[in-house]
Amino acid sequence: MELMFWWVVPLALLAAAAFGWAVVRSGRKDNARRRPAAHVDRLTTLPEYQAALRRHRRWLAVAALACASLLVSTAVAAARPVELTTTRPEQHNRDIMLCLDASGSMSSADAAVVDVFAGLAKEFDGERIGLTIFDSTAIQVFPLTDDYGYAQEQLNLARDAFDGKPGSSGFLDGTWSGRGSSLIGDGLASCLNSFAPVRTEAGSAPDGDAAQRSRSLVLATDNFLSGEPIMTLAEAAALAKDRAVRVYALNPGDFDYGSGADQPGAQLKAAAESTGGAYYALDNPDAIPGIVAAVEETETAALKGAPRAVVSDEPGLPLTAALLSGLALCTALWRLRL
């Protein structure tokens, strides 16, 4: 334990010494004014007087000790006793990026996704969450962050925009500035840029923290490609796999016209599963809960954060001593008046 304001203690002792010196001088002056009395020995030799005098002196000693203890304990408490410790706060190792297709057919599905994750953000502790929306072009609403108040605010704004709340349409501005619609490969690649690279050209991980954090991307799209993307879905999926990002795809459209591997739904499913993720159609009642459960299962261990010096006030001991000393002093004064 250390004293934050250590100089308070010597000042208090000096003040107490000055007060004691003043009391001693005052007592000497009082003695000089006293007058002798005859035959007091007849009183002072009585056994009752002797017993009363001993009791009086004992209580005086108790009062003096209580005063000294009260002075020292209050001085120590005023000096602010603290304990300095070094801690490494524990952080959970999940990164979650929401990658939402902002085309008109996706409004209700997108609103459901952001609503669920806005609720989950209230319980996050160390996880990072981000949001990117895309149509013909991609817009990063906010990067991966553990500022959950800000994340909830942005997710609520996104939900209002997807629900068509008046005055919220500007939230989606910038997603229609290119040619085409639902350019899934480009959108997925843009979302992946929110994750820091974890591999060098030699295949090693340059960032230990980035390598340990599990990475999940929730891709909600109608899977109805219209236009010529720069990057195909398969290429974007390969990039996700290379960056150790699991893609969980939610497809409200699911408009396949057969079971062939060339069908859009089959391609999206293959792309998601190639990253270690999963594929869900909107008519599956376990779609969003399944994504949430799968994302939560990716956490393997907690990470240790950077060491932090923590200053903790420890006033309990001196304040307890002051309280007990005060009670003892009050008792002694009461007994001295009897």
Side-chain angles (χ1 to χ4, degrees), residues 3 8 16 20 29 61-62 66 95 110 127 129 135 171-172 229 265 299 316:
L3 298 179
V8 172
K29 291 180 180 178
V62 170
D95 282 350
D110 288 342
E127 294 96 334
I129 187 171
D135 191 10
F171 188 86
L172 305 178
E299 181 184 359

Side-chain angles (χ1 to χ4, degrees), residues 253-280:
D254 202 18
F255 61 93
D256 289 352
Y257 300 103
S259 58
D262 59 338
Q263 292 297 314
Q267 292 178 359
L268 182 57
K269 181 179 181 180
E273 291 179 347
S274 70
T275 66
Y279 171 86
Y280 300 87

Side-chain angles (χ1 to χ4, degrees), residues 118-197:
L120 289 176
K122 299 177 183 178
E123 303 174 2
F124 282 168
D125 181 19
E127 294 96 334
R128 297 188 300 187
I129 187 171
L131 173 62
T132 298
I133 56 178
F134 70 92
D135 191 10
S136 57
T137 53
I139 299 295
Q140 186 181 76
V141 178
F142 62 92
L144 290 168
T145 179
D146 57 4
D147 185 345
Y148 304 126
Y150 174 72
Q152 282 183 272
E153 177 185 347
Q154 294 301 310
L155 290 172
N156 289 333
L157 290 175
R159 181 191 57 203
D160 292 341
F162 292 131
D163 282 339
K165 185 176 180 179
S168 62
S169 60
F171 188 86
L172 305 178
D173 287 350
T175 59
W176 305 305
S177 56
R179 294 183 178 181
S181 177
S182 295
L183 302 184
I184 308 165
D186 292 349
L188 178 56
S190 297
C191 295
L192 291 171
N193 286 333
S194 298
F195 298 99

Side-chain angles (χ1 to χ4, degrees), residues 20-336:
W21 179 75
V23 169
V24 171
R25 287 195 59 187
S26 176
R28 289 177 179 175
K29 291 180 180 178
D30 291 341
N31 288 334
R33 291 195 295 268
R34 291 176 180 175
R35 296 293 182 264
H39 306 296
V40 294
D41 56 322
R42 295 180 180 179
L43 174 64
T44 57
T45 55
L46 293 174
E48 293 81 1
Y49 179 87
Q50 294 291 333
L53 182 60
R54 286 193 296 270
R55 285 195 302 270
H56 183 78
R57 287 174 176 173
R58 282 196 298 267
W59 283 113
L60 280 178
V62 170
L65 289 174
C67 283
S69 177
L70 183 61
L71 171 66
V72 172
S73 57
T74 52
V76 171
R80 192 184 174 188
V82 297
E83 181 153 355
L84 300 178
T85 57
T86 301
T87 63
R88 298 190 67 186
E90 197 173 81
Q91 296 179 342
H92 295 289
N93 64 342
R94 279 199 296 260
D95 282 350
I96 305 168
M97 174 57 64
L98 305 182
C99 188
L100 307 181
D101 185 345
S103 59
S105 62
M106 286 296 300
S107 297
S108 59
D110 288 342
V113 171
V114 296
D115 189 53
V116 167
F117 279 91
L120 289 176
K122 299 177 183 178
E123 303 174 2
F124 282 168
D125 181 19
E127 294 96 334
R128 297 188 300 187
I129 187 171
L131 173 62
T132 298
I133 56 178
F134 70 92
D135 191 10
S136 57
T137 53
I139 299 295
Q140 186 181 76
V141 178
F142 62 92
L144 290 168
T145 179
D146 57 4
D147 185 345
Y148 304 126
Y150 174 72
Q152 282 183 272
E153 177 185 347
Q154 294 301 310
L155 290 172
N156 289 333
L157 290 175
R159 181 191 57 203
D160 292 341
F162 292 131
D163 282 339
K165 185 176 180 179
S168 62
S169 60
F171 188 86
L172 305 178
D173 287 350
T175 59
W176 305 305
S177 56
R179 294 183 178 181
S181 177
S182 295
L183 302 184
I184 308 165
D186 292 349
L188 178 56
S190 297
C191 295
L192 291 171
N193 286 333
S194 298
F195 298 99
V198 296
R199 296 182 182 177
T200 63
E201 292 181 358
S204 60
D207 185 348
D209 179 76
Q212 294 180 61
R213 300 186 71 91
S214 67
R215 300 165 165 218
S216 302
L217 188 147
V218 180
L219 173 64
T221 176
D222 60 9
N223 202 30
F224 191 79
L225 177 63
S226 177
E228 292 294 330
I230 298 174
M231 182 173 286
T232 66
L233 176 60
E235 291 171 338
L239 180 62
K241 184 176 181 180
D242 184 62
R243 295 189 178 182
V245 178
R246 296 186 180 186
V247 177
Y248 298 91
L250 176 65
N251 178 13
D254 202 18
F255 61 93
D256 289 352
Y257 300 103
S259 58
D262 59 338
Q263 292 297 314
Q267 292 178 359
L268 182 57
K269 181 179 181 180
E273 291 179 347
S274 70
T275 66
Y279 171 86
Y280 300 87
L282 191 61
D283 57 1
N284 183 347
D286 297 327
I288 296 179
I291 291 175
V292 172
V295 169
E296 290 180 339
E297 287 176 358
T298 60
E299 181 184 359
T300 56
L303 297 177
K304 292 294 184 180
R308 296 180 184 177
V310 178
V311 179
S312 304
D313 287 305
E314 298 289 343
L317 182 60
L319 290 181
T320 300
L323 175 61
L324 295 176
S325 300
L327 292 175
L329 180 60
C330 291
T331 303
L333 292 176
W334 173 69
R335 294 295 300 179
L336 288 171

